[in-house]
Amino acid sequence: MFRKLISTSDDIALTTLRLVLGVVFFAHGAQKLLGWFGGFGFQGTMAAMHQAGVSTPLFLLIVAIEFFGGLGLIFGFLARIPAFGVVVLMIGAIFMFHLPNGFFMNWYGNQKGEGIEYHLLAIAIGAAILLRGAGAYSVDRALSK
């Protein structure tokens, strides 16, 4: 079971996908948890999430997936687990918040909120990592040799 979890190839394309997804989700998690990169920090984000109808346990899960999952993806450590978390998180975000806003992001400020295009890209990248593993230059690759 563990061997299947960490199995991967030396594919640089997977490494690129994993690193980009990891950096993006780590940054979002750091905004929520630590207030880095212009975020509101833990208390501020939790208050905003509560207003949006997100429970405390779900908020904690979101922060864990983004921050710690982002780190797991960056290092390629058990990468399929955080990739699965990202896929589930993005599906949830689509159906809880973004689907009514259509497909496109709100580039021109002419809709109520953001559409689903970003989420679909994250789902596709997460699915590639789920199916193929962490790629080259990952802890998973080092462990699977």
Side-chain angles (χ1 to χ4, degrees), residues 50-75:
H50 283 164
Q51 279 187 321
V54 175
S55 67
T56 299
L58 183 56
F59 169 70
L60 295 173
L61 183 61
I62 291 167
V63 169
I65 290 169
E66 290 183 353
F67 187 83
F68 297 108
L71 285 174
L73 287 166
I74 289 168
F75 291 104

